[in-house]
Amino acid sequence: MRVVVLGAGVIGTTAAYYLARDGHEVTIVERHPGAAEGTSRSNAGLVSPGDATAWASPAALATFIKSLYSPDLGIKVHFSLDPQFLIWTCRFLMQCTAARARANTGVKLRLALYSRECINALAQDTGISYDERRRGVLYFYRSQQSLDKGVRHLQFLADRGLEIAIVDRIRLVEIEPGLAAIKDQIAGGVYSPMDQTGDSHIFVQKLAAFSERKLGARFRYGITAEGLEEDGGRIRAVKTSAGAIACDAAVVSLGPESGLFGRKIGIDVPVYPVKGYTATVPIDDESRGPVMGGVDEDRLIAYSRLGNRLRLAATAEFAGFDRHHRPSDFAAVFRVAKELFPDTFDERKAELWAGLRPMMPSSVPVIGQARYSNLFLDTGHGHVGWTLACGSGKLLADLVAGRKPEIDPQGLLYRN
Ligand SMILES: Cc1cc2nc3c(=O)[nH]c(=O)nc-3n(C[C@H](O)[C@H](O)[C@H](O)COP(=O)(O)OP(=O)(O)OC[C@H]3O[C@@H](n4cnc5c(N)ncnc54)[C@H](O)[C@@H]3O)c2cc1C
């Protein structure tokens, strides 16, 4: 089959890999001059089923309202009259019940655990390395109250298959000596030993090159997907800025832009952009800094050790499609990072970046056939797209092939 995949982020590129591996003739359409130049360029680097908790929950409702008048929170909402923002917000609020939060988290965790198996198998099959570390991720808390709350959240995941260990501050710095400097300010943590870290930009670029070289996939960079040509309930071509590309099936993986494209082709894909910031700094003395990924849950800062670099990530900001950043946006991140890892990096050497999480109101991505019999979605992966990419791509390839998926797709499929 000729399959056109729209978008060469981590989601589109992994889908393209699995589709090409199945023997399909795959073309990828990407507006940038290379792969992973959108959100997948510089995320926090955590491949972490431990982060599968859905954002929408009864607690998020209170945080969302507080963020409207409290500028210091890691969550920032610039109130907007953009109808898409208002519709998305209403849908998000509808997902904020305890029952919906549990259901959404359960679906995400199922995909995240599967995805972890898939990325490990993919790395072995392709030989791709991406500054990966399989040493776990540490979620830590500054107060007993927040530790108790965090343990309750992670226990929900543990009851559904995530391996975790609750650690006091002494054990915590044994497994993460990088945090020794602030040991006395930490109440304790939850260690998720099977979580991992890695650079999604390197991963995607290498996977794109592998898929081209070994599997015959064709990446067409610098062209924009503009719409679809249909005929009798089927897609027969993708309209692009470089003309129509004939196909037997198409996959939409346009990240934060999936909602805009969906509206063009008459499909409701409620993806809205949620901005975040990352800073990447070289670690000159490699004996310093963290040995694994982590999240300072009270300061809402995530970090990864990527080779001799430290990646710091923060903030969930509702600012439409604005991707700009200023040095002042990183002041709080650097303040906390210096407290966590003193004398480890020089912020003047930082590579600063901002990107947009493709967020569904439920935090659950949508994968599978939509509206047309040969149109598929693989999008809306929100704050954990790097974690979910490989499992999503494999599931999508199974659905395109009409094979029984290896996991239950319930809760992920598009409701036509
Ligand atoms: C600050 C931050 C930290 C994060 N940390 C983590 C983390 O630690 N772990 C984790 O799992 N996830 C994390 N994420 C989320 C993760 O990075 C995303 O979910 C993931 O990168 C989304 O991938 P994507 O392929 O859907 O989108 P993208 O990477 O944006 O790819 C979509 C592609 O489509 C292209 N495109 C768009 N419109 C068109 C068009 N009309 N025609 C042609 N091409 C088009 C874009 O150029 C882009 O390349 C983080 C996100 C942010 C912002």
Side-chain angles (χ1 to χ4, degrees):
M1 245 189 343
R2 295 163 305 168
V3 185
V4 176
V5 177
L6 310 184
V10 70
I11 301 299
T13 305
T14 44
Y17 161 78
Y18 286 111
L19 289 163
R21 212 181 61 159
D22 273 353
H24 299 300
E25 196 182 302
V26 180
T27 303
I28 301 92
V29 171
E30 168 57 51
R31 65 184 177 179
H32 281 120
E37 291 301 327
T39 309
S40 308
R41 182 175 171 83
S42 180
N43 54 40
L46 306 177
V47 180
S48 50
D51 219 4
T53 305
W55 277 8
S57 69
L61 186 56
T63 311
F64 192 77
I65 293 165
K66 201 169 156 202
S67 67
L68 292 168
Y69 57 85
S70 175
D72 280 348
L73 277 183
I75 297 155
K76 294 186 169 67
V77 182
H78 302 284
F79 190 75
S80 156
L81 289 176
D82 169 14
Q84 297 313 322
F85 170 73
L86 298 175
I87 293 168
W88 189 93
T89 303
C90 290
R91 287 174 146 184
F92 176 82
L93 295 178
M94 283 163 65
Q95 297 291 328
C96 282
T97 63
R100 287 306 317 147
R102 279 196 300 272
N104 292 333
T105 301
V107 174
K108 276 173 76 186
L109 180 68
R110 190 193 322 138
L111 180 59
L113 292 172
Y114 175 56
S115 202
R116 190 172 60 190
E117 287 170 26
C118 293
I119 193 172
N120 292 345
L122 184 152
Q124 191 157 12
D125 292 348
T126 59
I128 286 175
S129 57
Y130 46 97
D131 273 344
E132 72 277 19
R133 278 193 182 210
R134 302 203 173 107
R135 297 186 64 159
V137 168
L138 189 61
Y139 304 85
F140 63 90
Y141 304 83
R142 306 284 186 129
S143 71
Q144 190 60 43
Q145 196 190 6
S146 62
L147 174 63
D148 293 344
K149 206 164 120 197
V151 167
R152 273 200 303 279
H153 277 140
L154 279 136
Q155 191 57 49
F156 179 85
L157 304 180
D159 293 343
R160 284 153 187 81
L162 182 75
E163 190 183 328
I164 58 165
I166 299 160
V167 290
D168 62 16
R169 65 162 74 99
I170 294 166
R171 178 73 188 125
L172 191 143
V173 293
E174 278 170 12
I175 55 177
E176 178 48 283
L179 287 172
I182 60 142
K183 179 179 152 205
D184 294 338
Q185 294 172 47
I186 298 177
V190 181
Y191 176 48
S192 176
M194 305 299 282
D195 283 9
Q196 315 176 3
T197 51
D199 186 323
S200 68
H201 187 234
I202 298 177
F203 176 87
V204 173
Q205 293 203 322
K206 288 190 178 175
L207 188 61
F210 179 94
S211 304
E212 267 185 319
R213 219 178 41 247
K214 301 270 188 187
L215 304 174
R218 189 163 172 231
F219 283 74
R220 296 197 55 188
Y221 295 120
I223 67 173
T224 303
E226 294 175 340
L228 302 172
E229 282 179 13
E230 60 136 339
D231 189 9
R234 285 179 66 78
I235 305 301
R236 60 172 191 179
V238 174
K239 288 191 253 179
T240 77
S241 53
I245 303 176
C247 63
D248 304 304
V251 179
V252 177
S253 293
L254 295 171
E257 275 80 18
S258 290
L260 301 176
F261 190 80
R263 285 202 288 288
K264 264 192 197 168
I265 60 171
I267 298 183
D268 175 28
V269 190
V271 169
Y272 197 78
V274 181
K275 190 175 183 181
Y277 298 83
T278 65
T280 310
V281 285
I283 299 179
D284 295 329
D285 175 355
E286 290 199 23
S287 68
R288 303 192 75 88
V291 299
M292 68 179 84
V295 183
D296 183 341
E297 292 282 359
D298 292 288
R299 304 286 186 270
L300 295 177
I301 285 180
Y303 57 81
S304 290
R305 176 78 184 239
L306 303 172
N308 62 352
R309 297 169 298 149
L310 173 64
R311 171 78 47 80
L312 304 160
T315 314
E317 184 173 345
F318 290 79
F321 282 88
D322 174 27
R323 288 180 164 93
H324 290 102
H325 55 80
R326 297 156 300 168
S328 58
D329 294 321
F330 298 86
V333 180
F334 284 129
R335 199 170 51 244
V336 175
K338 279 185 195 155
E339 192 187 314
L340 299 177
F341 312 114
D343 306 320
T344 300
F345 62 88
D346 177 352
E347 72 181 76
R348 289 168 305 182
K349 295 184 185 164
E351 197 180 297
L352 305 178
W353 177 86
L356 306 174
R357 300 172 183 90
M359 208 71 206
M360 295 285 279
S362 60
S363 303
V364 180
V366 55
I367 301 165
Q369 181 263 333
R371 183 167 176 183
Y372 303 101
S373 57
N374 58 346
L375 178 67
F376 296 84
L377 304 178
D378 184 4
T379 195
H381 294 75
H383 63 122
V384 280
W386 175 211
T387 302
L388 302 179
C390 293
S392 301
K394 181 73 174 67
L395 170 60
L396 177 96
D398 286 342
L399 295 170
V400 169
R403 277 192 303 263
K404 187 176 183 308
E406 291 168 335
I407 56 163
D408 178 3
Q410 201 60 36
L412 294 162
L413 301 174
Y414 186 73
R415 291 201 203 105
N416 287 290

